[in-house]
Amino acid sequence: MASNINDNLEEQAVLIYRSWFNAFNRSQNINFVSSEFGKIPSDFSIVKIGSLPMLVTDYVANGSFASLKQNVKLYQEPNYAYFVRNTDLKSNSFGVYVDQHSYEFLSKSTLFGGEIIISNVGDVGSVFLCPKLDKPMTLGNNIIMLRPKKDYLRYYLYIWFKYHYGQAIIQGIKGGSAQPKFNKTDFKNTSVLLPPNELLDDFHNTVSPMFSIIEQNKIENAKLSILRDILLPKLMSGELDVSDIEL
């Protein structure tokens, strides 16, 4: 049920995005100019991802493969911080952890929640908003993280990369024969269509309540999943007796 609600809310945000930034339904008096993205309003600009006020980083930004192997230890049982992977974001179920030393070593890819995360190896082009979990979080491997310094860029860029031109751009820089992938440098050199700051701010304020509800629903779902995983084995083993509970 919550999943359907979240899907509907995100669809509404995407529809607003397309109305404002694809169909440009905001005024009858818009002057258009030609661009690599077709005809765009003259007050829009095209900029490189790397020039935006935004941190773009990944797991390997923390050191060489040898130093990562030496300093990062993964755990399957709860520990100091979550090690957030593409598969966890897909399932909204987080069960891989790192200890405090590993977390501190991975300081260049710490997560706080709200970052845009894009898979850049294997499942190239999967796009997520990082949830806010109940422990510290750090970025897993084979994904990159975007943390805009301006709030009004977050949902605009999330939809750009997940639903709009960004998907075609990501697929265009994808390489690798055995395993599809792209690198940060090529990604930073891709272009994005950028509306005026005032319009971006209006869009953020319009869709932010929708994404807040989505995030809260995900938190509640995660809590229910944890409770299920705790109670189900006890029910199956008979350790927990519910025969006296009246429905």
Side-chain angles (χ1 to χ4, degrees), residues 11-160:
E11 285 173 9
Q12 290 179 43
V14 173
L15 287 173
I16 295 170
Y17 176 100
R18 287 175 174 159
S19 174
W20 289 25
F21 307 124
N22 192 2
F24 308 113
N25 293 334
R26 61 190 175 100
S27 170
Q28 297 301 314
N29 301 311
I30 301 177
N31 294 319
F32 288 90
V33 296
S34 298
S35 79
E36 62 187 273
F37 298 116
K39 294 286 187 179
I40 62 171
S42 57
D43 57 349
F44 281 44
S45 57
I46 295 176
V47 300
K48 299 293 185 183
I49 288 295
S51 68
L52 291 174
M54 178 171 67
L55 172 66
V56 180
T57 190
D58 58 9
Y59 174 73
V60 296
N62 295 283
S64 66
F65 287 110
S67 63
L68 287 165
K69 184 177 181 180
Q70 181 178 0
N71 288 281
V72 179
K73 184 176 181 180
L74 303 183
Y75 299 83
Q76 301 300 318
E77 63 279 349
N79 210 297
Y80 184 79
Y82 289 104
F83 186 76
V84 177
R85 306 167 302 161
N86 181 65
T87 183
D88 305 321
L89 292 162
K90 275 190 167 182
S91 64
N92 195 41
S93 178
F94 302 86
V96 178
Y97 305 84
V98 293
D99 54 32
Q100 186 170 357
H101 171 78
S102 302
Y103 174 78
E104 291 172 354
F105 180 81
L106 297 171
S107 61
K108 292 184 179 179
S109 54
T110 301
L111 296 168
F112 300 103
E115 295 89 354
I116 302 160
I117 297 179
I118 304 175
S119 174
N120 68 326
V121 178
D123 185 23
V124 171
S126 292
V127 183
F128 307 92
L129 284 172
C130 182
K132 297 178 181 179
L133 303 178
D134 59 348
K135 291 178 182 288
M137 303 178 291
T138 189
L139 192 72
N141 50 347
N142 299 334
I143 49 181
I144 62 172
M145 176 260 280
L146 285 59
R147 183 185 295 133
K149 295 180 180 179
K150 303 293 185 181
D151 279 345
Y152 57 59
L153 285 172
R154 180 179 299 115
Y155 302 128
Y156 177 84
L157 290 177
Y158 169 70
I159 295 175
W160 170 268

Side-chain angles (χ1 to χ4, degrees), residues 1-16:
M1 182 65 178
S3 177
N4 291 336
I5 293 173
N6 288 353
D7 289 344
N8 288 335
L9 286 169
E10 188 155 307
E11 285 173 9
Q12 290 179 43
V14 173
L15 287 173
I16 295 170

Side-chain angles (χ1 to χ4, degrees), residues 185-197:
T185 301
D186 289 341
F187 179 78
K188 288 181 178 181
N189 283 328
T190 65
S191 298
V192 60
L193 178 65
L194 204 63
N197 290 348

Side-chain angles (χ1 to χ4, degrees), residues 225-238:
S225 295
I226 292 171
L227 185 61
R228 176 203 62 202
D229 293 342
I230 293 172
L231 293 179
L232 189 58
K234 294 184 178 182
L235 287 168
M236 297 294 290
S237 67

